Amino acid sequence: MRVISCKNYEQMSKIAAGFIKTLVQAKPEAVLGLATGSTPEGLYKELVSAYQNGELDFSQVHTVNLDEYEGLGPQHEQSYRYFMNDKLFKHINVKEENTYVPDGLAKNIEAMLADYEALIDSFGGVDLQLLGLGHDGHIGFNEPCDHFEQKTHRVKLNSITLEANKRFFANIDEVPKYAYTQGIGSIMKAKQIVMIVSGADKKEILHKVLYGPVCPEVPASILQFHKNVIVIADEKALA
Ligand code: F6R
């Protein structure tokens, strides 16, 4: 794993956006694996600026998101589809039909999950997967457990994640209890992984991810086994 230490959140966002810019400029038909949450917001602003300045063209790009809450549709402001439209897609020239987020309202959940995994496979794995890091070590919504989940699946969110995500809802009871997420195996299919981490509240878990044993109790520790991972973190997270 390569670790890039940044002064602060802004520098982290710029450097991480730089990796996506370089990829899209070199490969206009790139497949980007994207994440939601607070951490990538600055990076998405950088990409929007680069598009507005004429540095980037997303017309051939495909995007595949990591996860979605069960029961939330695209119109729900806390759905991850809404987040992606709001923070990135509606500001750039990516084609809507080339953007993929698991369907939070799927009736046939098993079929939706299998189709999502097949989609990732149809690309031969995404070119670059962007990841944030949960306080409990999750990537996507792969919560700590006793095994690494291979494929896109339904997951019960744990109390740490519900607590962390309640800031976006009226109260903790409003946070969906289940989600759909790419598995650890799906994420590991990516050709390159860029994980961004910011803030002192992530420093203990980041230390475990980088230097601890590889184990499903710290899902992101599996990244130690991927051959092309760049962790871009600010000084507080790396303290
Ligand atoms: C979101 C996702 C999650 C977040 C993680 C960190 O699509 O996959 O794993 O990256 O929960 O969230 P923030 O950035 O809000 O701290």
Side-chain angles (χ1 to χ4, degrees), residues 110-132:
E110 288 310 315
M112 184 276 291
L113 297 171
D115 287 351
Y116 209 75
E117 194 64 28
L119 172 78
I120 297 164
D121 287 338
S122 74
F123 292 125
V126 301
D127 288 305
L128 184 154
Q129 177 64 56
L130 177 68
L131 294 177

Side-chain angles (χ1 to χ4, degrees), residues 5 10 27 117 152 161 180 199:
S5 172
E10 287 69 32
K27 186 177 180 186
E117 194 64 28
T152 306
T161 300
Y180 307 129

Side-chain angles (χ1 to χ4, degrees), residues 34-40 65-67 80 131-135 138-141 165 167-168 202:
L34 299 179
T36 60
S38 302
T39 318
N65 262 77
L66 284 167
D67 43 16
Y80 286 174
L131 294 177
L133 177 64
H135 292 93
H138 71 221
I139 46 178
F141 269 137
N165 290 3
R167 68 192 193 277
F168 300 114
K202 300 271 176 83

Side-chain angles (χ1 to χ4, degrees), residues 23-215:
L23 172 64
V24 172
Q25 283 163 349
K27 186 177 180 186
E29 72 286 12
V31 182
L32 303 178
L34 299 179
T36 60
S38 302
T39 318
E41 284 198 38
L43 180 158
Y44 292 148
K45 283 190 185 140
E46 292 289 330
L47 293 183
V48 171
S49 303
Y51 168 71
Q52 286 167 347
N53 297 339
E55 291 171 60
L56 283 180
D57 172 16
F58 291 91
S59 60
Q60 297 178 65
V61 165
H62 288 73
T63 68
V64 186
N65 262 77
L66 284 167
D67 43 16
E68 179 60 284
Y69 286 118
E70 182 174 88
L72 301 195
Q75 309 307 330
H76 192 292
E77 290 190 11
Q78 297 311 330
S79 75
Y80 286 174
R81 164 55 78 178
Y82 185 97
F83 175 101
M84 290 310 304
N85 288 345
D86 188 47
K87 306 288 180 202
L88 184 64
F89 299 155
K90 74 178 186 195
H91 307 287
I92 60 175
N93 66 335
V94 70
K95 294 191 178 93
E96 197 188 339
E97 64 270 26
N98 290 349
T99 67
Y100 301 94
V101 180
D103 179 2
L105 299 179
K107 295 266 181 298
N108 186 340
I109 295 169
E110 288 310 315
M112 184 276 291
L113 297 171
D115 287 351
Y116 209 75
E117 194 64 28
L119 172 78
I120 297 164
D121 287 338
S122 74
F123 292 125
V126 301
D127 288 305
L128 184 154
Q129 177 64 56
L130 177 68
L131 294 177
L133 177 64
H135 292 93
D136 59 0
H138 71 221
I139 46 178
F141 269 137
N142 291 277
E143 300 284 36
C145 68
D146 58 4
H147 64 286
F148 290 112
E149 200 73 51
Q150 287 287 331
K151 296 188 174 166
T152 306
H153 61 285
R154 179 175 187 254
V155 66
K156 186 171 180 5
L157 302 178
N158 70 25
S159 55
I160 300 178
T161 300
L162 295 177
E163 189 60 37
N165 290 3
K166 76 173 185 199
R167 68 192 193 277
F168 300 114
F169 294 83
N171 58 59
I172 197 160
D173 297 329
E174 301 275 305
V175 188
K177 307 292 176 286
Y178 289 87
Y180 307 129
T181 181
Q182 290 189 29
I184 292 292
S186 338
I187 293 170
M188 292 292 277
K189 289 174 192 167
K191 295 173 187 99
Q192 179 178 34
I193 294 179
V194 172
M195 184 163 78
I196 51 175
V197 192
S198 170
D201 54 324
K202 300 271 176 83
K203 74 177 182 187
E204 273 144 30
I205 191 65
L206 180 58
H207 189 269
K208 286 187 191 167
V209 169
L210 296 176
Y211 306 113
V214 173
C215 57

